[in-house]
Amino acid sequence: MPEPTDKPNEARWERATARILVGAALVILAAPLGDPSQQIAARDAGRMLYPLKHFLADELGSGRLPAWNPYVGLGEPLVSSVVAGVFDPLNLLGVALPFSWGFKAMHLACYLVAALGVWLWARGRRLSQASAATAALAFTLSGYATGIANNFVYLRGLAFAALFVAFFERAIRDGGALRVGGAALTWALVLWGGEPQSWLLSFLFALILALTEPGAERRTVLVRTGFVGLLGAMLCAPVLLPAALDFPRTDRGMLGEAAVAAQWWFAPSRVAELLFPSLLRSSGDGPNLVYQAWFAAGRPLPWVPSQYLGLVVLLLAAVGVRGRG
């Protein structure tokens, strides 16, 4: 006669092991930043985001909502600049801690949020503790997630987009005012951090994921999605309204100089160059990649589309595993 197994103890052991594994991996990821001489300063993180977040922390610490940045050119508005992330709650880490440590903490908080988001998403799909831990680690320690630490805005957008997808799925599946409100709030948090692309794409692909779920009732999905979208848009109004009013006066709103505006045009066949650079045009003949329509410079910038395409690929991967586990 087989001996009975202690299921509650097994479940507790599995849960503890999974959490220890995820925690240890994140500690190892963060370990180099324990050195006071080390800072996240590669590319945009150092030349743009460190001084911007430092300015925001100083203003917030003085009890002021920073509406204007006097240190860029002749000055520029901040509240209407989505990328500035004036309303990002993570800015408070720069206020609560000495800023050199607060800036590191902002980045590490993103990895914690990313791991939590994927964990909740996996558990919501009834995966085991071990499987959820594996998914959280694969996402959080992936080359894409660790590779964009040089741009806090992209990293933060990725992390909170993952959390939003987890909350959105539960709101659509189970309904309820609290779940819908939680999904709307986590969606707003993506935009509050300054990443409109992740904000739009995460909502689109979360909706696709819900609509393609086996047995999904499309009417219910669309109605609940509508409530999430409406409430989320209301929460985003402090970011969206100033940006919409100010956009026509910006370089992008006026399409900048004629040379930049002309680069927005490209033949549809050149879309293939997103995967095969210079396929239809040599590198010496002007911009050689489709996504360089966003820039006046003609040098290759392969990291630009990776920030957006990477999120798309990860969300499509979520679609591919729907209904499994």
Side-chain angles (χ1 to χ4, degrees):
M1 180 176 178
E3 296 182 0
T5 57
D6 190 354
K7 293 294 184 182
N9 284 338
E10 287 184 6
R12 282 194 293 269
W13 172 250
E14 182 185 11
R15 183 164 54 250
T17 302
R19 291 176 178 176
I20 291 172
L21 177 62
V22 173
L26 293 177
V27 168
I28 292 172
L29 174 68
L33 295 179
D35 184 345
S37 67
Q38 298 298 309
Q39 184 54 266
I40 302 172
R43 213 179 60 219
D44 286 2
R47 68 180 179 84
M48 181 178 72
L49 292 167
Y50 188 95
L52 173 61
K53 292 297 183 180
H54 203 327
F55 173 72
L56 292 177
D58 288 344
E59 291 292 289
L60 292 171
S62 299
R64 295 186 294 270
L65 177 67
W68 183 262
N69 186 352
Y71 299 111
V72 176
L74 297 177
E76 68 174 13
L78 271 180
V79 171
S80 61
S81 173
V82 177
V83 176
V86 172
F87 298 101
D88 182 8
L90 294 186
N91 290 333
L92 298 178
L93 290 172
V95 178
L97 301 170
F99 186 76
S100 62
W101 290 100
F103 192 64
K104 298 177 186 180
M106 293 180 195
H107 287 74
L108 298 179
C110 290
Y111 288 104
L112 289 172
V113 169
L116 175 63
V118 176
W119 174 284
L120 292 175
W121 179 81
R123 292 294 290 160
R125 289 179 165 263
R126 297 178 176 82
L127 271 67
S128 67
Q129 298 278 353
S131 296
T134 301
L137 288 176
F139 183 87
T140 308
L141 304 182
S142 66
Y144 176 67
T146 56
I148 58 172
N150 53 34
N151 191 310
F152 173 76
V153 175
Y154 292 141
L155 172 62
R156 192 197 174 288
L158 175 72
F160 281 84
L163 187 65
F164 161 67
V165 170
F167 274 71
F168 180 87
E169 279 206 343
R170 295 190 180 197
I172 300 304
R173 183 183 64 237
D174 302 325
L178 288 178
R179 293 188 184 90
V180 169
L185 178 60
T186 51
W187 187 44
L189 283 171
V190 179
L191 185 66
W192 289 353
E195 231 295 78
Q197 291 86 359
S198 295
W199 181 66
L200 293 170
L201 288 172
S202 61
F203 191 88
L204 174 63
F205 282 97
L207 175 58
I208 292 174
L209 189 64
L211 287 173
T212 56
E213 187 72 21
E217 297 182 4
R218 293 194 175 186
R219 177 182 172 82
T220 300
V221 169
L222 293 175
V223 169
R224 291 175 179 173
T225 297
F227 280 114
V228 171
L230 178 61
L231 182 56
M234 292 171 62
L235 292 171
C236 290
V239 176
L240 292 176
L241 293 180
L245 292 172
D246 192 55
F247 183 75
R249 294 188 292 273
T250 65
D251 286 341
R252 292 186 179 185
M254 294 183 291
L255 290 180
E257 301 194 9
V260 179
Q263 292 184 44
W264 279 96
W265 180 89
F266 59 85
S269 60
R270 291 191 61 207
V271 171
E273 292 182 355
L274 287 170
L275 297 176
F276 303 100
S278 305
L279 179 66
L280 303 178
R281 180 179 294 189
S282 66
S283 59
D285 186 22
N288 63 344
L289 301 174
V290 170
Y291 51 76
Q292 285 182 281
W294 297 331
F295 295 89
R299 60 184 182 277
L301 296 170
W303 51 269
V304 173
S306 71
Q307 315 297 348
Y308 307 118
L309 296 180
L311 179 62
V312 175
V313 169
L314 289 170
L315 291 173
L316 283 175
V319 175
V321 299
R322 69 182 186 276
R324 299 184 180 181

